[in-house]
Amino acid sequence: AARLVSVLTLGFPAAVAGTNCYVLAPAAGEECLIIDPGVGVTGQLAEILLEHRLRPAAVLLTHGHFDHVYSVTPVCDSAAVAAYIHVEDQYRLKDPLSAVGPELIAMFEQQFGQKSSWQEPSDVLTLVDGQSLTIAGLDLRVLHAPGHTQGSVMFALPEVPDAIAAEAGVSTTVLSGDVLFAGSIGRTDLEGGDGAAMNRSLRDVVLPLADDVLVLPGHGPATTMARERVTNP
């Protein structure tokens, strides 16, 4: 079978913290992966799935911070699928809101008009470094890159989004979570963060990525390794 070179890729920011939620599928009408369903995304996600006739096969989490996992349980439950998270961040799914200040919780309770309640997803599968996954017809590799959290990962796949497939200069994609952003990196001052670990991840996991890698980060715009290698302080 011919390799896919482009995948249907839909991304949109969540209502809180602008966390990017991504939907990946081989094509419309197929199974899909949902990455990092954050605060208040369920309505928009349902519209995207309906519009493109997509059936969720799994939810992948780059790490366990509330702004990346807030909607994981309703999304998993409604589709009866598992959530995947690195083994070292699995504990965060017990109660990700415990790490959030009361002011922030009050703010989004006001925004969504409901009490913030948390229920752990019923089906959680753990990831380890270097693991290969084939889900929804897509091949992904797990790159453990701790520093922002203990279990932060990036997901590498051998395709690029269909919207930019024609553009020269990128040939594969990494979903970088909060490890790498356009122009910056993930903060390390939150619980479980570790500056020394982040430096190691940048040196050993991020820097070796090829220049033609498209980077889809957890917040902010897409970028490329070529650009970040030159411009990211």
Side-chain angles (χ1 to χ4, degrees):
R3 287 284 315 133
L4 287 162
V5 285
S6 69
V7 286
L8 176 64
T9 306
L10 305 151
F12 63 95
V16 168
T19 306
N20 291 324
C21 177
Y22 295 103
V23 180
L24 303 180
E30 303 275 350
E31 286 193 316
C32 68
L33 292 174
I34 296 166
I35 293 99
D36 288 356
V39 181
V41 300
T42 49
Q44 196 168 353
L45 200 48
E47 285 171 23
I48 284 173
L49 298 178
L50 189 64
E51 180 188 346
H52 298 275
R53 310 183 315 285
L54 298 171
R55 305 179 303 284
V59 174
L60 304 183
L61 303 171
T62 59
H63 62 294
H65 279 157
F66 89 96
D67 60 316
H68 291 253
V69 307
Y70 189 79
S71 299
V72 65
T73 303
V75 170
C76 284
D77 283 358
S78 65
V81 298
Y84 289 74
I85 193 165
H86 190 272
V87 63
E88 287 185 50
D89 263 20
Q90 185 183 9
Y91 79 95
R92 295 176 180 273
L93 291 181
K94 295 209 179 339
D95 184 15
L97 294 178
S98 63
V100 180
E103 312 77 26
L104 198 55
I105 288 183
M107 181 190 84
F108 60 78
E109 282 179 353
Q110 190 177 1
Q111 186 167 353
F112 300 110
Q114 64 202 47
K115 184 124 181 61
S116 292
S117 62
W118 177 257
Q119 195 181 356
E120 212 173 338
S122 51
D123 190 4
V124 177
L125 299 173
T126 53
L127 301 168
V128 295
D129 184 43
Q131 185 173 350
S132 294
L133 300 169
T134 300
I135 311 174
L138 300 171
D139 298 323
L140 298 101
R141 206 155 53 83
V142 177
L143 307 176
H144 183 214
H148 180 65
T149 66
Q150 306 94 318
S152 287
V153 298
M154 307 194 297
F155 295 106
L157 66 159
E159 294 93 21
V160 292
D162 53 3
I164 65 154
E167 271 185 46
V170 291
S171 65
T172 64
T173 302
V174 164
L175 296 132
S176 64
D178 285 5
V179 179
L180 180 68
F181 305 123
S184 68
I185 59 168
R187 57 193 288 187
T188 58
D189 60 336
L190 301 169
E191 179 271 320
D194 181 335
M198 178 61 102
N199 286 339
R200 284 193 298 276
S201 291
L202 293 171
R203 182 191 69 205
D204 301 338
V205 185
V206 175
L207 277 172
L209 294 172
D211 279 351
D212 63 358
V213 170
L214 174 76
V215 178
L216 298 180
H219 303 266
T223 184
T224 64
M225 273 306 296
R227 190 178 305 147
E228 295 314 299
R229 206 185 304 283
V230 174
T231 61
N232 193 322

